[in-house]
Amino acid sequence: MTSILSLPVANREVRSAWHFLPFSKRPRVRRWSLVVLVALASGFVLPVHGQQSAPAATDGTRSVSEWLTRLHEASQRRAYIGTLVVSAGSAMSASKIWHVCDGSQQMERVDTLTGAPRTTIRRNKEVITFVPESKTAFVEKRESLGMFPEFLGRPGNQIEQFYSVREIGAQRVAGHLADMVELLPRDDLRFGYRIWSEQQTGLVVKLQTLGGQGAVLEQVAFSELQMDAPVSMDKLKRLMKETRGYEVHKPVLKKTTAEAEGWRLSESVPGFTPMSCHTREVPGSTAKGPGMAPMQWVFSDGLASVSLFVEPFDPQRHLAESSAIVGATHSVNRRVGDHWLTVLGEVPPATLRRFALSLERTRP
């Protein structure tokens, strides 16, 4: 997480490519949170075949797994057009979203309405982001990051061990009556979520990321939403191919393992499972040899995600260890021998520091 979450999803996808690009080629994007809805309510995720829902709770409410299944399935069946607003403190951004589905095919277009113009279009795993000001386009083919629902369908998943659920009534959002539910963490290693799910369809129409004492760190909500809208998949397919006049960047990621690249965690972080690992050779780089290509190692607890970006240390760019916060997204970085580590995720800073301090090199 990351279409209510299309905006965060689009930014997540660009962010993944962004970190592997040379600095002069990186698009300027806001790092909005990859919260629960990025993986749940967005058509940007892949369906899980044969997935089983968890048993219903004895008090008649849905379990955590049942709520997550309902939210995901809603996105697989609806076409809609809406305006999505993301706010974190005094910062705010808005985007227009067109979403359509046709069986197993999911497509979505996201146009920014604030800040620098940008259009992101995704068809299943294929993503292209157009940046008109620089006349650049970033193309990626991304695997699922292994979050919900893929995570939920795994045997022995522990999502219920780390989150509880509380149903808290109903409210209208963007003209639609929505059920309100809170997914609350059972420890201090992750954030909680307050979700508004449209009563008839289950579609997520509003989401808040909750910090300590229930403080709202970030909010994502539709300000207007048209259900069952006439969105043309063919038109979106044509738009994806209209790259004339744009400089197209196609970072090709190589699937690997942290072990193969010479890395490991000396101590695991409770609830977080490694989901994927990729490297990318940087054109013109003088850093050669195993373990020297920039690497992204992704972990998930089923809702929150954490990415470990490792690249060769560059004293001209990597000046000092630091941390940063944007809404619910935190980052920390540190030097590890001849490498520079950036840990980024929608989790408390203490969780990121546990990852950062546990990463160690297994070979020279």
Side-chain angles (χ1 to χ4, degrees):
M1 317 22 269
T2 351
S3 292
I4 191 173
L5 313 191
S6 300
L7 176 59
V9 170
N11 286 344
R12 178 195 69 180
E13 296 296 337
V14 175
R15 183 178 67 201
S16 297
W18 170 90
H19 208 91
F20 285 119
L21 288 171
F23 273 74
S24 62
K25 300 294 186 180
R26 293 178 180 181
R28 300 179 61 84
V29 297
R30 294 302 303 270
R31 293 184 175 183
W32 295 113
S33 174
L34 174 61
V35 287
V36 56
L37 292 201
V38 173
L40 316 184
S42 171
F44 284 6
V45 295
L46 302 177
V48 173
H49 301 288
Q51 176 178 296
Q52 299 295 319
S53 298
T58 56
D59 62 359
T61 63
R62 294 184 178 94
S63 67
V64 173
S65 297
E66 286 182 308
W67 269 107
L68 299 185
T69 300
R70 172 176 168 79
L71 299 179
H72 169 68
E73 290 179 347
S75 73
Q76 300 295 302
R77 301 171 182 170
R78 316 304 303 188
Y80 53 84
I81 300 173
T83 300
L84 188 74
V85 178
V86 181
S87 57
S90 61
M92 185 275 292
S93 68
S95 290
K96 187 78 171 182
I97 299 169
W98 294 260
H99 174 88
V100 63
C101 50
D102 180 10
S104 62
Q105 300 296 308
Q106 300 280 322
M107 289 202 70
E108 197 154 50
R109 171 180 175 175
V110 183
D111 283 2
T112 59
L113 301 179
T114 54
R118 187 173 64 253
T119 295
T120 298
I121 305 175
R122 177 158 182 164
R123 178 176 179 266
N124 295 333
K125 297 181 181 181
E126 300 173 5
V127 183
I128 183 167
T129 297
F130 297 92
V131 185
E133 287 185 343
S134 60
K135 285 298 182 180
T136 52
F138 298 86
V139 178
E140 260 199 301
K141 181 171 286 188
R142 297 288 293 169
E143 293 185 7
S144 167
L145 289 183
M147 298 179 63
F148 181 86
E150 178 182 320
F151 188 99
L152 194 62
R154 289 187 171 195
N157 85 77
Q158 299 178 318
I159 199 166
E160 306 274 354
Q161 179 179 335
F162 297 101
Y163 293 91
S164 62
V165 63
R166 185 165 74 99
E167 298 179 9
I168 53 176
Q171 283 186 350
R172 283 172 58 83
V173 177
H176 301 272
L177 191 61
D179 292 318
M180 299 173 60
V181 61
E182 289 182 340
L183 303 181
L184 302 174
R186 299 184 186 273
D187 59 25
D188 58 1
L189 295 176
R190 57 212 92 230
F191 292 136
Y193 306 97
R194 184 178 296 129
I195 301 170
W196 285 253
S197 169
E198 200 274 325
Q199 283 190 340
Q200 298 301 313
T201 65
L203 190 70
V204 177
V205 292
K206 182 177 178 180
L207 166 77
Q208 292 176 342
T209 305
L210 309 176
Q213 307 301 315
V216 178
L217 303 177
E218 189 168 293
Q219 176 172 291
V220 186
F222 281 109
S223 62
E224 58 89 18
L225 176 64
Q226 178 186 352
M227 295 282 202
D228 299 318
V231 183
S232 170
M233 184 171 287
D234 288 340
K235 182 177 180 179
L236 293 182
K237 289 179 182 177
R238 290 194 300 271
L239 289 174
M240 287 190 77
K241 299 177 181 178
E242 293 180 2
T243 58
R244 182 178 300 177
Y246 280 78
E247 181 182 357
V248 179
H249 300 276
K250 297 182 179 180
V252 179
L253 304 184
K254 174 187 175 183
K255 190 172 184 180
T256 184
T257 65
E259 292 78 9
E261 300 303 314
W263 297 99
R264 72 175 181 182
L265 290 185
S266 61
E267 182 180 351
S268 62
V269 180
F272 286 90
T273 302
M275 308 307 298
S276 66
C277 187
H278 293 84
T279 61
R280 177 181 182 272
E281 295 295 335
V282 178
S285 173
T286 59
K288 304 295 183 182
M292 297 306 291
M295 180 186 80
Q296 181 186 11
W297 193 9
V298 180
F299 292 77
S300 173
D301 69 355
L303 294 182
S305 73
V306 174
S307 285
L308 279 63
F309 294 98
V310 184
E311 58 187 326
F313 177 73
D314 181 344
Q316 307 229 334
R317 292 194 292 116
H318 305 139
L319 301 178
E321 297 183 2
S322 62
S323 60
I325 301 174
V326 178
T329 302
H330 296 70
S331 70
V332 300
N333 55 49
R334 64 183 289 255
R335 184 175 178 178
V336 184
D338 294 330
H339 295 80
W340 186 255
L341 167 66
T342 300
V343 188
L344 180 73
E346 301 75 27
V347 294
T351 306
L352 299 183
R353 286 194 290 269
R354 289 185 64 160
F355 276 102
L357 295 175
S358 295
L359 185 70
E360 62 181 23
R361 196 84 173 118
T362 60
R363 60 171 180 253

